[in-house]
Amino acid sequence: MKSAELNVREDMVRLCKSLFDRGFSVGTAGNVSVRLEDGILMTPTNVTLGDLVPERIAKIDLEGNHVAGDRPTKEVFLHQAFYETRPQAGAVVHLHSTWATALSCLMDVNPDDCIPPLTPYVVMRVGAVKLVPYVKPGDPKSGELVRDLNGQYGAVLLGNHGPVVSGKDLFSAVCAAEELEETAKLLVALRGQKTKLLSKEEVAELQTTFGTI
């Protein structure tokens, strides 16, 4: 195994444990992947994010064949779809974090903008978030739903399931997933209150200054 790949595996162990220890993932829920030059590393199925072993992290090649480590997450299709439609994506984080999942269960969420611009940081780190319809976990259709978005969204909220967030690298994807969760918490806490969102002009200023996701 090349040292660069081993470093990525060790980073996955460290950052996934951080997510688990802070309650962003419970039990065996959630999965994380990182794109390599010759394939994709993915957390294995039925393993907690807090108990990963570098050498046992799954690896698939560019054709989707399992080539190393334990069997990959059953959500492999979801991860592949992000990489295939977003060349800038270097990592994908899928969580069942409490508040984002709660938001995905509400009836009146705007499916085209389910995480509205409440704070500058959700604009800067996450961008617009699409709500996609519920499908059974592990169903290849989840990948089809993401592919149908043609790479327009760096993050989606799976109906009645939870968030999936991509980033240029693993650290960026983890930070974006955390920002989405905290913003979802604020949105649920503020429901029923008169809430001021950032204006279109303020969002545009952020995008001009910091770039789009």
Side-chain angles (χ1 to χ4, degrees):
M1 183 184 301
K2 296 180 180 179
S3 60
E5 181 178 321
L6 182 56
N7 289 339
V8 174
R9 289 173 177 268
E10 290 172 347
D11 284 345
M12 289 180 70
V13 170
R14 176 175 57 85
L15 289 169
C16 286
K17 187 175 190 307
S18 174
L19 287 170
F20 184 84
D21 288 348
R22 291 178 296 128
F24 287 93
S25 174
V26 297
T28 60
N31 34 83
V32 174
S33 68
V34 177
R35 192 203 306 251
L36 302 175
E37 290 184 359
D38 61 346
I40 303 170
L41 294 179
M42 293 188 176
T43 51
T45 189
N46 292 324
V47 175
T48 72
L49 294 188
D51 196 31
L52 298 176
V53 176
E55 295 78 10
R56 297 186 63 178
I57 290 173
K59 182 177 182 180
I60 64 172
D61 64 18
L62 298 175
E63 285 71 48
N65 302 304
H66 180 206
V67 295
D70 291 352
R71 188 159 57 94
T73 170
K74 62 179 174 292
E75 304 285 13
V76 58
F77 313 104
L78 200 55
H79 294 258
Q80 287 175 302
F82 267 97
Y83 294 125
E84 290 171 14
T85 57
R86 289 184 64 83
Q88 66 270 50
V92 174
V93 175
H94 168 40
L95 302 174
H96 298 175
S97 49
T98 303
W99 296 100
T101 303
L103 203 62
S104 79
C105 298
L106 296 175
M107 291 286 291
D108 58 349
V109 171
N110 180 353
D112 294 319
D113 192 16
C114 55
I115 305 289
L118 189 63
T119 70
Y121 289 95
V122 77
V123 174
M124 293 157 54
R125 294 177 180 165
V126 183
V129 180
K130 175 78 172 180
L131 178 68
V132 298
Y134 170 82
V135 296
K136 179 180 65 177
D139 190 327
K141 188 175 180 181
S142 63
E144 295 172 16
L145 291 171
V146 171
R147 285 188 186 88
D148 288 344
L149 301 178
N150 297 314
Q152 296 179 49
Y153 294 86
V156 300
L157 201 57
L158 306 176
N160 297 82
H161 188 157
V164 190
V165 183
S166 64
K168 64 179 181 180
D169 52 39
L170 181 58
F171 181 73
S172 299
V174 167
C175 289
E178 293 179 5
E179 191 68 44
L180 190 154
E181 171 65 6
E182 291 306 306
T183 307
K185 183 177 182 179
L186 291 172
L187 289 168
V188 174
L190 290 169
R191 284 179 69 82
Q193 304 297 316
K194 293 181 179 180
T195 304
K196 179 183 180 298
L197 300 176
L198 297 181
S199 68
K200 291 182 179 179
E201 293 75 17
E202 289 165 335
V203 170
E205 181 184 30
L206 290 168
Q207 292 173 335
T208 299
T209 303
F210 299 101
T212 55
I213 302 299

